[in-house]
C-alpha cells in the first residue's frame, strides 16, 4: 500500500513422494504446499490480508494438493490463534532438550 510492504507469504511445493524426496515423514503421499513464513505488518492485522496471502499461495500451488503443511509454535500468541481459525490442526508435537 502506497509503496510499503504490508505482508508476505513464503511457500513452496513438496512434490509427490516418490521415495527420493526429503520431506516430513508423517505426511501421507501426495503434493503439499509448505507455508514457511506468513507475516502481516502489525498496523494491517485483522483486515484479512494474511488470509488473502495464504489463499493466493494455495491457489497458486494448484488444485491437486493433498494438503498444506506449516510449522508454528503453540506458544506464539498470534500464531496459536490464527492457524486453528484458518482450518489447520496439529499433527504431531515436537520436543526439544536444551543443554
Amino acid at each position: 500500500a502506497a509503496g510499503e510492504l504490508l505482508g508476505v507469504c513464503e511457500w513452496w511445493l513438496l512434490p509427490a513422494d516418490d521415495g527420493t524426496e526429503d520431506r516430513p515423514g508423517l505426511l501421507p503421499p501426495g503434493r503439499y504446499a509448505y507455508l514457511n513464513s506468513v507475516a502481516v505488518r502489525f498496523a494491517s492485522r485483522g483486515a484479512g490480508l494474511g488470509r488473502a496471502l495464504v489463499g493466493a499461495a494455495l491457489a497458486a500451488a494448484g488444485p491437486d494438493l493433498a494438503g498444506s503443511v506449516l510449522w508454528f509454535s503453540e506458544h506464539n500468541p498470534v500464531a496459536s490463534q490464527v492457524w486453528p481459525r484458518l482450518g489447520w490442526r496439529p499433527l504431531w508435537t515436537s520436543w526439544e532438550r536444551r543443554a
Side-chain angles (χ1 to χ4, degrees), residues 3-96:
E4 292 192 36
L5 183 65
L6 300 182
V8 63
C9 179
E10 178 190 11
W11 68 278
W12 58 83
L13 285 174
L14 295 173
D17 187 8
D18 63 2
T20 63
E21 296 294 327
D22 182 21
R23 59 190 282 123
L26 297 177
L27 292 176
R31 287 178 67 243
Y32 289 83
Y34 183 88
L35 301 175
N36 186 54
S37 181
V38 179
V40 175
R41 187 177 179 174
F42 184 79
S44 301
R45 291 180 182 167
L49 182 57
R51 184 183 300 263
L53 288 168
V54 169
L58 296 178
D64 58 341
L65 290 177
S68 52
V69 180
L70 59 91
W71 294 90
F72 74 88
S73 170
E74 64 186 69
H75 302 292
N76 178 319
V78 174
S80 64
Q81 296 295 313
V82 169
W83 295 113
R85 286 185 188 156
L86 294 178
W88 273 263
R89 61 184 175 80
L91 293 177
W92 60 84
T93 301
S94 291
W95 295 79
E96 74 171 346

